[in-house]
Amino acid sequence: MKAVVFHGIGDIRLDNVPEPKIKESTDAIIRLTSSAICGTDLHMIRGTFTGMKPGTILGHEGVGIVEEIGSNVRNLKVGDRVVVPSTIACGYCSYCRTGYHAQCDNANPNGHNAGTAFFGGPEAAGPFDGLQAEYARIPYANAGLVKLPKEVTDDQAILLSDIFPTAYFGADIAEITPGDTVAIFGCGPVGQFAIVSARLFGAGHIIAVDTIPSRLEMARDLGAEIIDYNAEDPIEAIRELTGGIGVDRAIDAVGVDANAPDSGPAAEKARQEAQQFQQQLQQIAPKTNPQNGNWHPGNAPSLVLEWAVQALAKAGTLSIIGVYPPSHNFFPIGTAMNKNLTINMGNCNHRKYIPTLVDLVRNGTVDPTKVLTQVEPLMSVIDAYKAFDRRQPGWVKVELVPGATLANV
């Protein structure tokens, strides 16, 4: 079968690989009808999330058809159409039972304290082969697959595998209450869904910070007030928009690959911190492999954390859902403490939220395809990865269709 395979930092290929087989009685094999490219994949290709094992199939977002089930999968049948939660969970341990599926005690073969297991990730996360492929093995399939109603299309469902649940989780742990003012840093796909999710939680005022025009335009269309950090100082702009108070809640939807402003009033302060950011990057990503404009790590790994803490009002809440590797040890803890901030963060418990979001899509409350900007055949995946990595205008979220060609997507 065809699959996107990690060979090294800056080196991914569309390879022919063996089809997966059932290994445990709780496994299922699915035929992928839709996958996607995520910013988390880029962290690993850029080298800002280390520990990837060469030969691992990438991708952690998937929709498909059940082809085979293990003898202990009792809630599914061959032919069922399903969406795959990106994080892997057994469904029965104490963490899963309380909704902390991302901290499942059993899914990660590295042990109870190893942390989140997810598809297409580094050795510390499993490793498990991912979903940018024609077929995939799904461990703990009774909990790891969610059946889809016919009213929810593949284009909608692929956005329910990771990015919409992650954003909804971010809004949930931000403790948004009706009327709150919320700042969202980053208008990539998760940031866009964070805007949607903040509205679902009743936010009265949403401010979105980015610099890419197409992303800012999409954020405005979704109802946010927008700030271009290369045109304005985002903290000064937020203070102006909030009467000098700051926001009640802030969501970091960027993570380790943040970029500093290179123009406008915020650029000078960023230049003063450039050496510090460079030292951080050396610690976080000692090996990188940029090539011809691709696979460049962000140059300001802790900038969004600084901005979010500065933007919050006293006693506000910071939600961190942008990806930070274990090697990232840089956070403005003193400022946060002295403002009495609450900080909530983590990997999304996808299995907890997906059924709710499926219902919201099915009943027409939300149409997630407003964030879907490209549908590409799996055969064109490397070019699609490069365009997404370069943040080309209009490239917000990319769906991949196995078996398709440019003529029929």
Side-chain angles (χ1 to χ4, degrees):
M1 69 172 184
K2 293 289 187 182
V4 182
V5 178
F6 179 92
H7 286 267
I9 294 171
D11 184 2
I12 59 170
R13 307 173 200 172
L14 184 65
D15 289 344
N16 286 306
V17 300
E19 292 183 9
K21 305 294 183 185
I22 294 282
K23 294 182 178 179
E24 305 290 343
S25 64
T26 50
D27 288 350
I29 302 297
I30 65 168
R31 173 174 57 85
L32 275 301
T33 56
S34 176
S35 185
I37 300 173
C38 180
T40 301
D41 301 320
L42 296 181
H43 294 315
M44 293 177 282
I45 302 168
R46 292 170 180 164
T48 46
F49 206 118
T50 60
M52 283 294 292
K53 181 180 178 181
T56 302
I57 297 172
L58 287 173
H60 52 266
E61 299 170 273
V63 175
I65 306 297
V66 175
E67 295 279 307
E68 185 180 355
I69 56 173
S71 60
N72 242 354
V73 180
R74 302 166 186 263
N75 59 338
L76 298 168
K77 65 181 184 299
V78 171
D80 281 343
R81 182 166 159 266
V82 291
V83 60
V84 186
S86 297
T87 45
I88 301 167
C90 73
Y92 58 79
C93 72
S94 61
Y95 287 97
C96 289
R97 292 183 187 199
T98 53
Y100 282 98
H101 297 84
Q103 296 301 324
C104 174
D105 257 348
N106 297 310
N108 195 323
N110 294 303
H112 291 332
N113 295 320
T116 306
F118 64 96
F119 293 100
E123 289 192 81
F128 292 90
D129 277 326
L131 308 178
Q132 289 170 3
E134 294 181 284
Y135 295 88
R137 180 180 76 93
I138 310 299
Y140 302 104
N142 66 308
L145 295 171
V146 177
K147 286 191 279 190
L148 288 166
K150 64 180 183 299
E151 296 89 350
V152 177
T153 68
D154 277 14
D155 288 352
Q156 293 173 322
I158 191 59
L159 303 167
L160 303 177
S161 181
D162 177 27
I163 58 169
F164 193 179
T166 296
Y168 194 85
F169 165 68
D172 189 8
I173 64 173
E175 304 176 336
I176 297 171
T177 58
D180 279 350
T181 296
V182 181
I184 295 166
F185 291 89
C187 294
V190 172
Q192 302 293 344
F193 277 113
I195 295 168
V196 172
S197 300
R199 290 173 63 88
L200 290 170
F201 278 87
H205 187 188
I206 302 170
I207 302 167
V209 181
D210 204 293
T211 193
I212 299 172
S214 56
R215 292 184 175 189
L216 289 169
E217 190 61 35
M218 181 179 285
R220 180 159 50 195
D221 289 345
L222 291 173
E225 297 186 51
I226 59 174
I227 297 171
D228 179 348
Y229 67 73
N230 271 309
E232 304 177 84
D233 183 316
I235 305 308
E236 293 303 318
I238 286 170
R239 286 173 181 156
E240 182 179 353
L241 291 169
T242 59
I245 298 169
V247 296
D248 303 299
R249 321 291 171 202
I251 299 175
D252 172 1
V254 178
V256 64
D257 273 319
N259 280 306
D262 53 25
S263 64
E268 179 54 37
K269 184 176 181 182
R271 280 191 284 270
Q272 294 171 9
E273 296 184 272
Q275 184 177 357
Q276 173 185 320
F277 290 147
Q278 184 59 36
Q279 291 171 347
Q280 293 175 2
L281 186 58
Q282 281 294 114
Q283 179 174 325
I284 293 164
K287 181 181 178 183
T288 61
N289 189 18
Q291 304 165 25
N292 303 317
N294 279 110
W295 324 132
H296 288 271
N299 62 10
S302 62
L303 180 60
V304 170
L305 296 172
E306 291 181 15
W307 278 351
V309 167
Q310 293 170 25
L312 279 160
K314 294 180 292 186
T317 304
L318 171 57
S319 165
I320 304 172
I321 52 173
V323 172
Y324 290 95
S327 55
H328 191 295
N329 296 313
F330 314 101
F331 182 82
I333 190 68
T335 304
M337 178 182 179
N338 282 284
K339 292 178 76 171
N340 277 53
L341 300 184
T342 297
I343 304 164
N344 294 317
M345 69 190 90
N347 293 319
C348 178
N349 305 300
H350 293 89
R351 187 58 178 80
K352 174 181 178 179
Y353 294 103
I354 287 175
T356 297
L357 299 182
V358 168
D359 286 343
L360 290 178
V361 174
R362 183 181 191 179
N363 66 28
T365 300
V366 179
D367 180 7
T369 59
K370 291 180 179 179
V371 176
L372 182 63
T373 53
Q374 272 77 29
V375 180
E376 300 287 329
L378 184 65
M379 295 300 292
S380 301
V381 64
I382 304 303
D383 288 339
Y385 252 110
K386 290 178 178 179
F388 182 64
D389 173 67
R390 290 194 299 267
R391 302 176 178 91
Q392 284 190 183
W395 284 68
V396 177
K397 185 59 180 178
V398 185
E399 179 182 1
L400 300 172
V401 182
T405 65
L406 283 171
N408 61 14
V409 295

